[in-house]
Amino acid sequence: MLSTTRRGFLAGTGGVFAAGLASASVAQPAEARPRAPRNIVLILADDLGVSEIGPYGQQIIATPNLDRMAAQGVRFRNAFAGSSLCAPSRCSLLTGLHTGHGTVRENPEGGPQRALNPGDLTFAEVARLAGYRTALIGKWGFGPEQPDQDSHPNVRGYDEFYGYITHIHAHQYWPTYLWHNREMVAFDGATYSPDFLRDRAVKFIDESAKDGKPFLLQFATILPHSPSEIPGDAGQYADKPWTKANRRHAAQVTRLDAHVGDILRALRQAGVADDTIVIFTADNGPHHEKGVDPNIFNSNGPYRGVKRQLYDGGIRIPMIAYNPSFSPKVVEDPVALWDILPTVADIAGLPAPAHLDGRSFRGLLTGDRYAGHPFLIWNRPRKMQAIRRGHWKLIRFNPNIAGAGPEGRNELYDLRGDRGERHNVADRHPKLVEELNALLDGSIGPDPRIPYGLSAREEAGGVVVSLANGSSGPWTKVRLYLDKDDDKSVGQERLVKAESFVATFPKKGRVAHARFVVDGEEIHFRTKVQKAPF
């Protein structure tokens, strides 16, 4: 007996929600869309200042691979982190929400790290719906350190995980253990983890190329986060008249650059470079911890501030995208880490989840149309918030934060002639300050997402399959089926925004499928059937 129903349902593999403003790019008819690269490699550096690499003006630290990547690819001049520190920035990256809406809005302070929850949809889950093989190699950054919990990478969309679960554990360059999927693997404390994890990333590329399926790799290295640890001494920087910490920090950045070169080489050798978009970026501005002095390297370039601050030096990041088909260019349009999820959906050919704060920037890579952000916001609860609209930027300090006094403080900067944010002009523009504060207040609130995706679970001898339309437009000619039995599908003509289609199949299966049409293009979701608990 097969039954169907229409009501809100947790969506995605394991039950996921999606959120935010709709993507700027919509699906095109299949005949109008030229063949484009589908594999995605995201290389995420940890605490790398915007000007610590050559393409952004670095003069002391050598980064030849990133120099070539930028010269031959797309360099974003105005790319921004999700936050000025690790956990909230990575949450923003994963979920497409800025820190006014995301689940994790601050690093832990004297308590446990806040985790992702069943309502979070990551870009890896989106890619997996499209049939991608997915991997996270390196730092996850959310707890707890347990194999079976809603915030584990394997639950949040990654088929393969090797690395650190919590960001505290990721401070260890010579670990005594790492996690491989849901198992803790013992290490001897003598293995330099960035090199080991680089090797795992290369292995994933080789395996995926042989498999033939599209793949998404997130290589989340811990370089160059403190402490400044590196095998041997500081290599080419060993004779520099700096402290040990600074010499080794420079060596860490150059080693990071070498790892970028290794990944690009692996793509070429595996024969998938032409079909892969590589994006290099970082999670926040430069650190000044354990003896590292970012002033030596001009790590934040002409911008004020470092990690933990909402001045541009704390939130501006490098971002470079490369594919052999891209025309070399520099992009001035502001983009942010919360744009990654809708961009992944766009590259994968899927309708973007609705109510995301992010916008797809695929058009900036390929020369297609692009609709930018009306403004960008950052939120550090109980501390400070910031908003950038056009050439104006407002930073609002909470009472008694950063010397703000009991009434708090507003700082307003005209970035046209003050990119270093040195001249606070808030007193000259009280109406603008009031207007930007109102925009900030309206942008900070509860998670706005609605269900999106496909889920399937065994139940009472059969399988319950749920498809949730969490995008902005209707899905038509909807069909659900198990395994390869598309001739035994269950259909519905139309599924509108925020509506779910649920079907119960009277047999077990391994993979559930959904096919539907958006703007004339057929979309295909797949997800593994979750087994019934014992």
Side-chain angles (χ1 to χ4, degrees):
M1 181 74 180
L2 185 147
S3 64
T4 62
T5 182
R6 288 186 177 196
R7 57 190 181 87
F9 207 86
L10 286 175
T13 52
V16 227
F17 282 86
L21 287 167
S23 168
S25 298
V26 295
Q28 300 174 358
E31 64 271 18
R33 175 174 285 187
R35 174 173 171 80
R38 293 195 68 196
N39 302 325
I40 302 165
V41 173
L42 176 69
I43 304 173
L44 183 67
D46 199 348
D47 286 7
L48 179 74
V50 65
S51 293
E52 286 195 293
I53 61 175
Y56 291 85
Q58 180 56 228
Q59 298 294 315
I60 299 174
I61 303 173
T63 57
N65 294 292
L66 287 164
D67 293 350
R68 284 191 294 270
M69 184 177 171
Q72 298 171 12
V74 178
R75 179 168 67 90
F76 291 87
R77 199 191 299 272
N78 294 294
F80 292 93
S83 181
S84 58
L85 67 174
C86 173
S89 189
R90 289 167 188 256
C91 179
S92 180
L93 165 77
L94 289 165
T95 65
L97 298 178
H98 58 51
T99 45
H101 291 144
T103 299
V104 180
R105 306 185 187 189
E106 187 66 294
N107 268 14
E109 295 182 352
Q113 170 68 63
R114 186 164 184 183
L116 301 185
N117 62 44
D120 280 310
L121 178 72
T122 70
F123 64 77
E125 290 173 285
V126 171
R128 197 157 67 175
L129 285 171
Y132 278 62
R133 186 171 186 249
T134 58
L136 169 67
I137 308 298
K139 175 178 173 179
W140 176 237
F142 306 98
E145 276 196 303
Q146 297 171 4
D148 298 309
Q149 41 93 9
D150 291 325
S151 190
H152 192 281
N154 290 147
V155 179
R156 296 270 65 87
Y158 295 95
D159 299 313
E160 169 79 3
F161 166 60
Y162 215 124
Y164 306 88
I165 290 181
T166 69
H167 77 278
I168 295 297
H169 182 210
H171 295 173
Q172 298 179 16
Y173 278 91
W174 313 87
T176 57
Y177 71 93
L178 289 173
W179 285 85
H180 184 207
N181 295 324
R182 289 180 168 88
E183 294 185 1
M184 187 182 292
V185 180
F187 277 68
D188 57 7
T191 298
Y192 190 64
S193 65
D195 290 355
F196 173 84
L197 294 170
R198 178 271 322 274
D199 293 342
R200 295 295 307 194
V202 168
K203 180 181 179 183
F204 176 80
I205 290 170
D206 292 341
E207 292 173 348
S208 299
K210 294 173 184 175
D211 183 59
K213 292 172 61 176
F215 65 85
L216 180 148
L217 167 64
Q218 181 181 350
F219 178 53
T221 179
I222 62 173
L223 291 168
H225 194 288
S226 71
S228 301
E229 295 185 2
I230 200 86
D233 201 349
Q236 66 197 80
Y237 308 102
D239 296 329
K240 294 292 184 181
W242 312 326
T243 64
K244 179 194 291 187
N246 286 305
R247 291 194 299 270
R248 293 189 171 185
H249 177 77
Q252 284 182 321
V253 175
T254 295
R255 200 177 199 91
L256 163 66
D257 177 81
H259 289 176
V260 172
D262 294 336
I263 288 173
L264 293 172
R265 186 179 309 108
L267 292 169
R268 292 193 299 271
Q269 292 176 348
V272 292
D274 289 345
D275 203 32
T276 304
I277 294 175
V278 181
I279 300 174
F280 174 87
T281 189
D283 62 349
N284 50 248
H287 73 81
H288 54 110
E289 299 166 354
K290 299 186 184 301
V292 171
D293 181 1
N295 292 320
I296 290 176
F297 311 108
N298 194 29
S299 298
N300 51 7
Y303 307 107
R304 177 182 180 182
V306 291
K307 177 181 177 179
R308 296 186 177 85
Q309 298 176 340
L310 293 185
Y311 298 110
D312 267 18
I315 55 176
R316 276 184 177 265
I317 51 175
M319 185 180 289
I320 304 165
Y322 173 75
N323 176 268
S325 68
F326 291 169
S327 298
K329 62 181 175 180
V330 176
V331 172
E332 300 290 345
D333 300 75
V335 297
L337 287 187
W338 55 89
D339 294 330
I340 293 293
L341 189 153
T343 302
V344 168
D346 206 358
I347 293 169
L350 300 185
H355 305 305
L356 292 180
D357 297 312
R359 305 284 182 94
S360 170
F361 57 72
R362 184 183 67 87
L364 294 174
L365 306 179
T366 62
D368 296 335
R369 65 188 181 90
Y370 169 72
H373 293 276
F375 56 87
L376 303 173
I377 79 112
W378 297 267
N379 173 38
R380 294 197 61 195
R382 300 174 299 281
K383 292 183 175 64
M384 64 195 79
Q385 295 81 34
I387 180 170
R388 174 179 173 140
R389 188 181 69 177
H391 57 83
W392 292 106
K393 181 178 174 185
L394 176 80
I395 305 177
R396 180 172 69 190
F397 292 89
N398 285 30
N400 302 312
I401 294 294
E407 302 299 322
R409 182 176 70 249
N410 287 297
E411 296 181 3
L412 179 68
Y413 298 100
D414 184 348
L415 301 177
R416 287 175 297 185
D418 185 22
R419 60 180 178 172
E421 296 169 279
R422 299 295 179 184
H423 306 290
N424 178 12
V425 295
D427 290 343
R428 301 183 206 169
H429 303 277
K431 289 185 178 180
L432 179 58
V433 168
E434 182 180 357
E435 182 181 348
L436 293 176
N437 269 308
L439 274 177
L440 259 177
D441 290 337
S443 301
I444 298 172
D447 183 342
R449 292 175 289 184
I450 58 177
Y452 175 102
L454 180 70
S455 67
R457 69 181 188 278
E458 292 182 358
E459 190 172 285
V463 175
V464 177
V465 180
S466 173
L467 175 69
N469 180 357
S471 72
S472 294
W475 299 351
T476 60
K477 300 179 181 179
V478 177
R479 291 186 293 129
L480 303 180
Y481 59 95
L482 294 180
D483 298 324
K484 297 181 180 180
D485 295 334
D486 53 346
D487 58 334
K488 300 177 182 179
S489 64
V490 178
Q492 179 167 302
E493 184 57 32
R494 186 178 179 87
L495 198 63
V496 299
K497 177 182 177 180
E499 189 176 40
S500 292
F501 177 39
V502 183
T504 300
F505 293 85
K507 69 166 193 172
K508 293 185 179 180
R510 297 180 60 189
V511 179
H513 300 259
R515 290 185 183 271
F516 53 93
V517 174
V518 178
D519 293 336
E521 182 177 358
E522 185 176 73
I523 306 298
H524 182 191
F525 282 180
R526 329 68 169 150
T527 189
K528 292 180 180 178
V529 175
Q530 303 300 307
K531 293 188 176 296
F534 292 106

